[in-house]
Amino acid sequence: MQLEEVRKTIEATIENITPAGARRLAKDYLEPGAAKDQISKTASELLDWSHRNRERLREFVAHEVSRQMKAVGVATQSDVDALKKRVRELERTAGMTASGRKKATRKSGARKTTGRTSAARTTTASKPARPATRATE
């Protein structure tokens, strides 16, 4: 029966123990006929203990995942955010838009376009050149 109690205790460390579950564990640990206030106090201590251990486990896992990600070379969200900010500043100083194109600036005295693109403009083709003829000998 002691092995079962150890298993329940370890499970209480990892899972989110309920107050009812903590009372059951407290009754299992205490001698039969223990006072209600003693059971309540032990259950409260088990709840606190379970919460602290879950938090420690969460912090450990988060730290380990972060350490492994750094070892592999994966950038953190703060690294990516810092790079985005730097790129935006560089684009702003270079006068570029977010798409990477230079902003269109109009020089004073520049002609207005009619809205047609260069692909829409057509030129008349001249007659094809005749092949050169040989002079007769």
Side-chain angles (χ1 to χ4, degrees):
M1 189 65 166
Q2 258 186 335
L3 186 58
E4 183 64 19
E5 290 174 357
V6 170
R7 184 189 62 79
K8 286 180 182 179
T9 303
I10 292 171
E11 286 176 353
T13 302
I14 298 170
E15 40 183 64
N16 190 13
I17 190 170
T18 63
R23 276 194 298 281
R24 278 193 303 274
L25 275 175
K27 285 180 184 178
D28 289 346
Y29 287 135
L30 297 174
E31 295 178 14
K36 281 189 171 188
D37 61 335
Q38 189 177 10
I39 292 172
S40 294
K41 182 181 176 190
T42 303
S44 175
E45 289 172 356
L46 282 170
L47 282 169
D48 290 342
W49 176 77
S50 176
H51 177 73
R52 281 192 315 272
N53 284 333
R54 267 194 330 280
E55 187 60 28
R56 283 186 200 134
L57 182 61
R58 188 198 60 76
E59 289 172 1
F60 172 77
V61 169
H63 175 73
E64 188 60 25
V65 167
S66 176
R67 195 174 71 79
Q68 292 298 320
M69 296 299 272
K70 275 185 183 176
V72 174
V74 175
T76 63
Q77 186 63 47
S78 62
D79 293 340
V80 172
D81 291 342
L83 287 173
K84 283 180 182 178
K85 182 179 177 184
R86 184 171 178 211
V87 167
R88 274 189 238 109
E89 289 171 358
L90 289 171
E91 286 176 341
R92 203 173 304 128
T93 58
M96 298 176 85
T97 62
S99 66
R101 296 185 179 132
K102 284 264 188 189
K103 288 183 181 175
T105 56
R106 184 176 290 183
K107 296 178 185 174
S108 62
R111 292 185 334 168
K112 290 184 179 180
T113 61
T114 60
R116 293 190 319 178
T117 62
S118 61
R121 293 184 190 137
T122 59
T123 58
T124 58
S126 60
K127 293 181 182 177
R130 289 188 179 182
T133 58
R134 281 195 238 174
T136 55
E137 297 180 18

